[in-house]
Amino acid sequence: MMHLLHKGFMENYQYWYAHGEVYVSERRMEETVVRSTSSASNMYEAANDNTNPYRNMVMDAMRMNQGNVSQCPIVEEEPNIDAARFFDLLKDYDEPLWDGCTNHSKLLVVAQVFTIKSDHGLSEAGYDKIIEWARSMLHEENRLKENFYVVKSMMKPLGLGYQKIDMCPNFCMLYYLENAKMTECMTCGHSRYKPRISGGKTLVAYKKLRYFSITPRLQWLFMSPRTAEHMTWHQAHHAVDGVMVHPSDGEAWKRFNNVHPHFSVESRNVHLGLCKEGFNLFGSFAAPYSCWPVILIVYNLPPGMCMRPEFLSLSTVIPGLSSPGQNIDVCLRPLIDELAQLWSSRALTYDILRKQNFLMRAALMWTINDFPAYGMLSG
Amino acid sequence: MDDRSWMYRDSPQGLWRMDYCNGVQGFINFATSIPINFTGGGIRCPCRKCQNKSISIQML
């Protein structure tokens, strides 16, 4: 008692977790609620009653843009570029495939064929052939897009793109942020670009890292009514003693929540897992080529969802020939930067379920890998 | 949960503020009311220096 009176309590000990106090999960932080009441948002909600999944897809994409816009103090403005792109998409959605067609629109058909392509691993040439064949069956004045390239640029405004970052072929450095303009590796001196072919105009880099930004993907989970309700499952469910159905029933998770009460009071904060593994793309008998995908797992979702392929989010693809070895930290830098930002400065996110904006944080709980990969990751 | 803002109001050096003293007494009543806390031989001291690492029996 004398200690306490003289020295005061240790920091962040509002919850007396080491003294048998059960953590109360119903507590909410002072909610930083920004109700969006712009007339536009009502329109989206009205339009969202329509149960067509493809229309919802466009609506989700728009909410994405709107979430970013509402950070600015002035909301009622002329449509910005994003909004203009959105209205173009909506127009595509409403435009029939040919005049008089009632059940297919321009965007709907493209999105459906796109889904078939990705579900069955159809090649780009295969896609073009099928479209060519479908067009020959259709009316002369149809609006079906002719090839994959055009379709891709049409789908681009829906968001969730990726970033290509040039890197040194020996995994020494990324040409990223402060080094974006360099043309030679500063460690090994290897040139960034391949020698120009005579007459060629564009510079081609030896190796490119593909980085899929994680923040918009997490925001998307909250902006879509079909996933937003599941994002707080980890705190809402009741654990049965002795049975572990989800990592949130485990000791590590509870300990993390106790140590970081500021993080855990907001049940919408995202718990992530990271997993990475080398893949030989061309089978074990072909020329050895190992490509290293890095995948993030969102543990907020219920056990039936968090391990489904559609909710595992690919974060980085490290191209190969060989594995990056000890230099994998170089390749993970964009991801690490973004995770650090999500932990410290948070991201304003629109929650469709509660119809409010909140500041989302994310924490990387653990990594999953085999032992060789573990050796690389820990350096 | 009750209000815990008394825990981190200005540091209690020199002056022993009344609400702080009452709060500490409340904390000790709470901690001693839970038998599992005594399994290590005494109650852990959550002060700035001990950080719950040492068991402080003279707390009582």
Side-chain angles (χ1 to χ4, degrees):
Chain A
M1 183 162 177
M2 294 310 281
H3 270 199
L4 280 176
L5 289 178
H6 280 298
K7 301 206 166 61
F9 277 92
M10 61 190 262
E11 278 162 33
N12 292 328
Y13 198 56
Q14 280 94 341
Y15 314 113
W16 299 336
Y17 51 84
H19 292 88
E21 187 166 78
V22 182
Y23 177 68
V24 189
S25 61
E26 282 80 52
R27 271 179 59 90
R28 287 264 174 275
M29 265 193 306
E30 294 79 39
E31 298 213 336
T32 50
V33 185
V34 191
R35 289 224 166 234
S36 45
T37 49
S38 66
S39 59
S41 77
N42 296 336
M43 188 196 87
Y44 309 137
E45 277 147 32
N48 217 24
D49 294 337
N50 189 335
T51 47
N52 189 320
Y54 292 97
R55 193 183 177 97
N56 287 345
M57 176 175 76
V58 181
M59 290 301 167
D60 288 350
M62 183 51 198
R63 250 177 248 121
M64 192 80 188
N65 297 334
Q66 201 218 348
N68 297 340
V69 169
S70 61
Q71 284 180 33
C72 324
I74 312 150
V75 183
E76 299 290 335
E77 252 187 312
E78 289 294 300
N80 56 8
I81 300 166
D82 285 345
R85 271 201 321 228
F86 164 70
F87 287 117
D88 280 351
L89 263 179
L90 210 59
K91 211 178 77 200
D92 282 349
Y93 177 81
D94 290 328
E95 208 170 350
L97 190 59
W98 66 87
D99 291 328
C101 171
T102 49
N103 54 351
H104 285 101
S105 82
K106 201 168 138 189
L107 184 69
L108 185 69
V109 170
V110 160
Q112 280 169 338
V113 189
F114 216 72
T115 316
I116 296 172
K117 177 189 183 302
S118 63
D119 281 357
H120 299 280
L122 210 60
S123 69
E124 201 175 315
Y127 181 94
D128 288 352
K129 284 281 177 208
I130 287 179
I131 291 295
E132 199 185 314
W133 167 73
R135 274 167 67 91
S136 71
M137 290 191 299
L138 284 171
H139 198 270
E140 277 290 301
E141 286 165 12
N142 66 69
R143 296 189 187 87
L144 190 57
K145 293 285 180 187
E146 54 275 62
N147 61 30
F148 186 68
Y149 178 78
V150 185
V151 166
K152 230 165 79 172
S153 47
M154 180 175 158
M155 303 292 268
K156 212 173 175 182
L158 285 172
L160 302 191
Y162 63 88
Q163 208 183 337
K164 279 191 246 179
I165 304 168
D166 293 352
M167 65 189 297
C168 168
N170 300 327
F171 300 103
C172 306
M173 63 174 285
L174 289 183
Y175 298 97
Y176 177 64
L177 293 182
E178 70 274 10
N179 298 328
K181 291 214 166 69
M182 293 174 73
T183 53
E184 264 178 13
C185 174
M186 56 183 171
T187 315
C188 67
H190 199 290
S191 148
R192 172 176 174 175
Y193 298 109
K194 290 178 183 170
R196 224 186 274 239
I197 317 160
S198 59
K201 279 184 185 140
T202 47
L203 287 162
V204 182
Y206 275 101
K207 199 170 261 191
K208 273 179 189 167
L209 181 85
R210 277 158 175 85
Y211 177 63
F212 300 73
S213 181
I214 173 79
T215 318
R217 285 172 173 79
L218 293 179
Q219 287 173 331
W220 198 287
L221 287 174
F222 285 103
M223 279 179 224
S224 168
R226 291 164 298 289
T227 49
E229 57 177 318
H230 298 296
M231 287 301 281
T232 50
W233 185 90
H234 67 105
Q235 203 155 58
H237 87 291
H238 297 286
V240 184
D241 267 355
V243 184
M244 190 167 149
V245 294
H246 189 266
S248 63
D249 299 341
E251 279 304 313
W253 187 293
K254 288 175 188 158
R255 168 114 188 112
F256 180 86
N257 277 352
N258 284 338
V259 174
H260 301 284
H262 294 296
F263 182 83
S264 56
V265 282
E266 174 58 271
S267 62
R268 288 172 290 188
N269 283 337
V270 186
H271 297 255
L272 295 170
L274 182 144
C275 119
K276 68 179 191 58
E277 179 46 346
F279 278 93
N280 195 343
L281 295 185
F282 308 116
S284 48
F285 299 109
Y289 181 99
S290 93
C291 159
W292 286 72
V294 179
I295 295 168
L296 284 170
I297 305 155
V298 181
Y299 281 120
N300 285 25
L301 295 167
M305 285 170 86
C306 73
M307 289 294 159
R308 299 283 304 160
E310 51 268 43
F311 293 106
L312 298 175
S313 87
L314 181 67
S315 154
T316 313
V317 181
I318 304 168
L321 208 58
S322 61
S323 102
Q326 297 286 315
N327 288 341
I328 194 156
D329 54 332
V330 172
C331 314
L332 291 180
R333 190 181 148 201
L335 176 65
I336 293 166
D337 282 357
E338 194 165 0
L339 283 174
Q341 204 192 353
L342 271 175
W343 172 259
S344 56
S345 62
R346 307 161 193 201
L348 192 71
T349 306
Y350 182 69
D351 181 354
I352 183 76
L353 206 62
R354 293 167 193 83
K355 307 248 184 301
Q356 56 186 228
N357 285 322
F358 72 104
L359 291 166
M360 177 185 64
R361 296 175 80 187
L364 185 65
M365 304 285 288
W366 45 67
T367 63
I368 304 169
N369 24 238
D370 58 7
F371 271 106
Y374 184 47
M376 286 178 201
L377 200 63
S378 55
Chain B
M1 195 185 297
D2 44 309
D3 181 29
R4 296 261 163 92
S5 57
W6 55 267
M7 288 174 71
Y8 301 108
R9 238 168 260 155
D10 291 326
S11 78
Q13 289 167 359
L15 287 175
W16 287 4
R17 278 183 295 101
M18 210 51 219
D19 58 340
Y20 186 79
C21 293
N22 292 339
V24 170
Q25 194 59 52
F27 166 75
I28 287 169
N29 290 343
F30 173 80
T32 48
S33 71
I34 292 175
I36 201 166
N37 285 344
F38 291 99
T39 46
I43 291 172
R44 287 176 183 277
C45 175
C47 83
R48 224 170 270 260
K49 194 177 166 198
C50 306
Q51 306 241 340
N52 279 338
K53 282 170 198 141
S54 63
I55 285 169
S56 151
I57 303 172
Q58 72 265 29
M59 266 176 78
L60 292 176

